[in-house]
């Protein structure tokens, strides 16, 4: 009889204080509200990139687009290819080159999620800001005016 009491006590300690055990997620993962902020930002980037890529597909075959949460802010002057607002980098164009091991690298545009989100008032504003930054960086990559890349010829 003593062992039965001990096992019940052990079982109670592993549950929450109301004795119902662990519960499932509040929102099913299939709904958009269950997405993290980073996943939502990635979706905004893909949607902003889609019309640009549709128009410039052949010219952008050697360009990657990446997202980082925050930039590494070096001391002094910002590196070449950085778009900044009040000294905070929003994105960076990294040209193709060679890494430390002598391997060739592809050109890439890196968008910084947290600074871009901090400057947007809402989702629509964020989408516009991401689009504008992408257009500017892709224009720099292609050596064109941003109006040409956006479609204004």
């Amino acid at each position: 009889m003593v062992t039965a009491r001990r096992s019940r006590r052990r079982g109670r300690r592993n549950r929450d204080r109301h004795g119902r055990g662990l519960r499932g997620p509040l929102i099913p993962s299939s709904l958009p509200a269950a997405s993290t902020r980073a996943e939502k930002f990635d979706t905004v980037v893909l949607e902003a990139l889609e019309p640009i890529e549709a128009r410039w597909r052949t010219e952008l075959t050697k360009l990657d687009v990446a997202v980082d949460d925050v930039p590494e802010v070096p001391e002094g002057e910002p590196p070449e290819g950085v778009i900044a607002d009040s000294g905070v980098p929003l994105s960076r164009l990294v040209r193709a080159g060679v890494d430390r091991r002598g391997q060739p690298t592809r050109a890439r545009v890196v968008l910084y999620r947290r600074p871009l989100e901090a400057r947007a008032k809402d989702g629509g504003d964020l989408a516009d800001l991401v689009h504008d930054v992408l257009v500017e960086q892709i224009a720099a990559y292609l050596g064109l005016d941003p109006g040409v890349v956006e479609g204004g010829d």
Side-chain angles (χ1 to χ4, degrees):
M1 213 154 194
V2 175
T3 57
R5 285 185 191 165
R6 286 183 186 165
S7 65
R8 268 191 283 172
R9 286 183 188 156
R10 281 188 200 142
R12 286 183 189 162
R13 276 188 260 164
N14 291 335
R15 294 179 162 212
D16 68 352
R17 63 179 231 224
H18 297 291
R20 286 177 270 207
L22 298 175
R23 296 184 178 187
L26 294 175
I27 300 172
S29 61
S30 61
L31 296 177
S35 300
T36 64
R37 288 175 61 185
E39 291 170 339
K40 290 176 186 175
F41 186 81
D42 290 346
T43 302
V44 168
V45 171
L46 290 173
E47 289 172 356
L49 184 61
E50 191 174 317
I52 300 167
E53 194 175 44
R55 182 160 187 220
W56 299 96
R57 183 171 310 279
T58 56
E59 291 85 351
L60 300 179
T61 56
K62 296 185 180 182
L63 178 70
D64 294 331
V65 176
V67 173
D68 276 348
D69 280 342
V70 293
E72 293 179 18
V73 180
E75 295 292 324
E77 196 67 26
E80 180 187 348
V82 171
I83 295 177
D85 179 35
S86 301
V88 178
L90 302 178
S91 69
R92 180 175 183 192
L93 172 62
V94 180
R95 301 278 179 185
V98 179
D99 67 8
R100 294 178 188 157
R101 293 176 280 159
Q103 300 295 320
T105 60
R106 291 171 50 102
R108 72 183 179 279
V109 172
V110 181
L111 299 170
Y112 300 117
R113 179 178 67 87
R114 302 282 304 267
L116 286 165
E117 286 177 338
R119 280 149 184 80
K121 294 178 179 82
D122 56 26
D125 193 28
L126 179 62
D128 291 343
L129 181 59
V130 168
H131 175 77
D132 292 346
V133 168
L134 274 173
V135 165
E136 195 169 331
Q137 290 290 28
I138 290 172
Y141 171 73
L142 296 174
L144 299 172
D145 185 69
V148 173
V149 171
E150 194 160 13
D153 289 328

